[in-house]
Amino acid sequence: MMKSMRNIVDALKPAMLMVVVQIANSWVNVMYKLAVNDGMSMRVIVAYRYVFATAFIAPLAFFLERKTRPKMTWTVLFQALLCGLFGGVLPQNLNLEALTLTSVTFTTAVANLIPVVTFILSISFGLEKLNLRAAAGRAKIIGTIIGIGGAMILTFVKGVEVNVLSFHVNLFNHKNGHVVHPQGSSRGMFILGAFSSFASIVSYAMWLIIQAKMSQRYPSPYSSTALMSLMGALLSVSFAFILERDLSQWRLGWNVRLITVAYAGIIVSGVMVAAISWCVRTRGPLYVSVFSPLMLVVVAFAGSTILDEKLYIGSIIGSLLIVSGLYIVLWGKSKEMTKNQSVSSPKKPNESASTVEIIVKTPKEECPR
């Protein structure tokens, strides 16, 4: 009985862990929104995030992979620099810019386009092959088109407002009873925020391609994450110091600013990255990708109930199309991987037709002396 229960828990462990990962990742956008509304600079948030992440993950990488870590080369250092740029500084700053101009629900919904954009870039760089004669190839194309269409609807179509459950908790600053947003919410600002969000996921998709190349040369997940965090910290701190001359922006008190950067750095860029690495190693990257739409559900609920964000029918339809396109692409990719594995696996010999030759050697007689 105890053994069967243990087997069930072991089987459900990756799924439960990925649910926790998606919930943790969804709340970082909510906290970003709160920190920005509190007056904290977006660039300083990104800088502190990678400083905290480096301080957390570097000791883990040093002790856990000190015996298995490959030799460091200049090529690996350059790839880590590119990872810190395309996977850290650029997408995080662009994502925070999009958050100030749009909403956490919108930016999270657009983030579901990452597999689609990665697929398009992979074809451009020759890392993916497209076979339109096969059902898997057609599914990837159809899913990509549906996902892009959903993103366009999410950006340009509002429709009627959808009233959902609200706790009437307004965590933003108030002025004359109204919410004070850091930026204007005009149509032009929203379009600019949408482009910032799309640019963020393109940069993130570029990082996934570079990370795949780096993993071949440096197959140590904790050490590569520490290198990326270190490069991201150096780049983001330099970028923030150039543009943010006000030293008061760098002060962290016991407030939402400290909680946000500590949570984003230690929990999201530290603990959750380690959890994702374990799930990828045990279940594969496709299994991990399937859980990404869960973050959209959590953020949409938090945005409408806690942050007092408005939810429109266009956002719901666009989000559903993005998620549908994502799963169609993943289905096509899984069918393609299954076919490749079946073709590459060697066939077992027919045991009934095989013959075994037995050779018996007799010892040579000793020659008389």
Side-chain angles (χ1 to χ4, degrees):
M1 182 66 179
M2 291 297 296
K3 186 177 180 180
S4 61
M5 288 294 296
R6 192 180 298 113
N7 293 335
I8 294 174
V9 172
D10 291 338
L12 293 177
K13 189 186 300 183
M16 293 186 294
L17 193 58
M18 283 309 305
V19 170
V20 173
V21 166
Q22 294 304 323
I23 293 174
N25 288 342
S26 62
W27 279 103
V28 74
N29 278 347
V30 176
M31 298 181 73
Y32 274 168
K33 192 79 172 180
L34 296 176
V36 168
N37 189 78
D38 190 60
M40 189 175 187
S41 169
M42 298 178 294
R43 302 170 187 89
V44 174
I45 293 176
V46 176
Y48 270 123
R49 170 174 179 164
Y50 286 102
V51 168
F52 275 79
T54 304
F56 174 79
I57 200 69
L60 287 179
F62 177 78
F63 288 107
L64 295 178
E65 296 177 340
R66 63 182 182 277
K67 296 181 180 179
T68 60
R69 188 183 303 111
K71 184 180 179 181
M72 180 61 61
T73 63
W74 287 108
T75 303
V76 172
L77 277 177
F78 180 68
Q79 290 175 334
L81 177 65
L82 293 179
C83 287
L85 177 63
F86 288 101
V89 178
L90 283 179
Q92 289 300 321
N93 279 284
L94 289 169
N95 182 58
L96 276 168
E97 185 69 30
L99 276 172
T100 61
L101 298 174
T102 58
S103 66
V104 291
T105 305
F106 177 86
T107 54
T108 306
V110 172
N112 283 305
L113 285 174
I114 289 175
V116 176
V117 176
T118 305
F119 169 64
I120 296 174
L121 292 177
S122 298
I123 292 177
S124 303
F125 285 95
L127 299 177
E128 281 280 349
K129 294 181 179 180
L130 190 60
N131 184 11
L132 293 178
R133 295 181 179 179
R138 292 193 297 269
K140 290 192 290 185
I141 287 293
I142 294 172
T144 301
I145 295 174
I146 292 175
I148 294 175
M152 294 299 100
I153 292 175
L154 188 70
T155 304
F156 298 106
V157 178
K158 278 191 173 182
V160 297
E161 183 179 347
V162 179
N163 295 319
V164 295
L165 174 67
S166 177
F167 297 138
H168 302 289
V169 177
N170 197 336
L171 298 180
F172 289 118
N173 295 329
H174 287 72
K175 185 176 181 180
N176 297 329
H178 298 285
V179 179
V180 178
H181 295 282
Q183 303 271 358
S185 57
S186 65
R187 189 68 176 173
M189 288 293 186
F190 185 84
I191 298 297
L192 179 61
F195 279 115
S196 297
S197 186
F198 289 133
S200 173
I201 66 171
V202 170
S203 177
Y204 191 85
M206 285 292 297
W207 165 67
L208 292 177
I209 294 175
I210 299 171
Q211 182 66 36
K213 294 292 185 180
M214 182 179 175
S215 298
Q216 296 175 358
R217 292 179 176 268
Y218 202 71
S220 299
Y222 292 104
S223 298
S224 63
T225 303
L227 280 173
M228 173 187 166
S229 298
L230 177 61
M231 295 299 180
L234 293 175
L235 291 171
S236 58
V237 168
S238 302
F239 180 64
F241 266 122
I242 291 173
L243 297 179
E244 296 292 342
R245 303 297 179 88
D246 186 6
L247 294 180
S248 62
Q249 285 286 343
W250 294 86
R251 294 197 191 99
L252 294 177
W254 294 101
N255 50 25
V256 69
R257 301 186 180 193
L258 176 62
I259 296 174
T260 298
V261 296
Y263 179 84
I266 297 174
I267 303 299
V268 178
S269 294
V271 178
M272 294 301 114
V273 168
I276 291 173
S277 300
W278 181 83
C279 288
V280 169
R281 188 173 67 251
T282 56
R283 290 293 187 270
L286 186 65
Y287 181 88
V288 174
S289 301
V290 170
F291 288 85
S292 59
L294 178 62
M295 185 167 65
L296 175 60
V297 178
V298 177
V299 168
F301 178 78
S304 59
T305 57
I306 297 177
L307 299 183
D308 201 24
E309 291 181 349
K310 294 181 179 180
L311 191 63
Y312 297 96
I313 190 67
S315 301
I316 296 176
I317 295 175
S319 301
L320 289 176
L321 287 175
I322 289 175
V323 173
S324 301
L326 168 65
Y327 275 105
I328 292 174
V329 171
L330 292 177
W331 178 86
K333 185 63 179 176
S334 64
K335 297 291 286 186
E336 191 177 68
M337 292 174 62
T338 303
K339 182 179 179 180
N340 292 337
Q341 289 175 358
S342 62
V343 171
S344 61
S345 60
K347 295 182 179 180
K348 294 183 180 181
N350 190 357
E351 296 181 356
S352 61
S354 63
T355 58
V356 180
E357 183 180 0
I358 301 176
I359 300 176
V360 180
K361 293 183 179 181
T362 58
K364 295 181 179 180
E365 296 180 358
E366 293 185 358
C367 297
R369 293 182 180 178

